[in-house]
Amino acid sequence: LLVPRLSEGQPTFTAADVVSLTGAELAVVRDDGAAMYLNGTEVWRSHLPAGPLTADTYASAGVWGADEREPTVVPVDPALLNDGTNTLAVEVHNNTRNGGDLSFDAELTVTR
């Protein structure tokens, strides 16, 4: 299984023999809110309201200090992975219109 770091700008990766996977997890750092999707299925949402998101949706809270640097670990159902090409997509939202910063990083780890 090859999963590039999303900070390298590569949202697609190739997986093989996914039926042998026993677990998967995302380690996510975001400022301020984020929603993540694996192959079109939402797998995590933080500081964002329920329902559809748009470019006008603001995060419900700002992220400061250690929360901007330390990853949040999120379990992911490994059954969402496909043999072949997979896509891990994200949308990141600031908590104000004039937010001074916006950041994101994620890593998907799987176990067999």
Side-chain angles (χ1 to χ4, degrees):
L1 178 69
L2 172 64
V3 182
R5 289 181 56 85
L6 289 182
S7 60
E8 294 173 359
Q10 302 174 22
T12 62
F13 59 94
T14 303
D17 193 26
V18 296
V19 297
S20 69
L21 298 177
T22 59
E25 65 183 23
L26 285 165
V28 183
V29 178
R30 72 353 192 161
D31 178 10
D32 293 310
M36 296 194 68
Y37 308 86
L38 179 56
N39 294 323
T41 298
E42 186 175 316
V43 294
W44 184 68
R45 186 181 287 219
S46 173
H47 296 166
L48 293 171
L53 301 170
T54 70
D56 294 323
T57 302
Y58 293 103
S60 60
V63 177
W64 307 99
D67 289 337
E68 287 182 296
R69 297 180 301 278
E70 298 298 322
T72 299
V73 177
V74 181
V76 175
D77 182 357
L80 293 173
L81 290 159
N82 302 315
D83 279 323
T85 301
N86 292 269
T87 301
L88 187 57
V90 64
E91 56 183 290
V92 183
H93 296 254
N94 254 329
N95 71 326
T96 65
R97 182 172 193 72
N98 298 320
D101 63 345
L102 182 71
S103 63
F104 171 77
D105 193 16
E107 186 172 41
L108 177 64
T109 304
V110 297
T111 53
R112 292 191 190 275

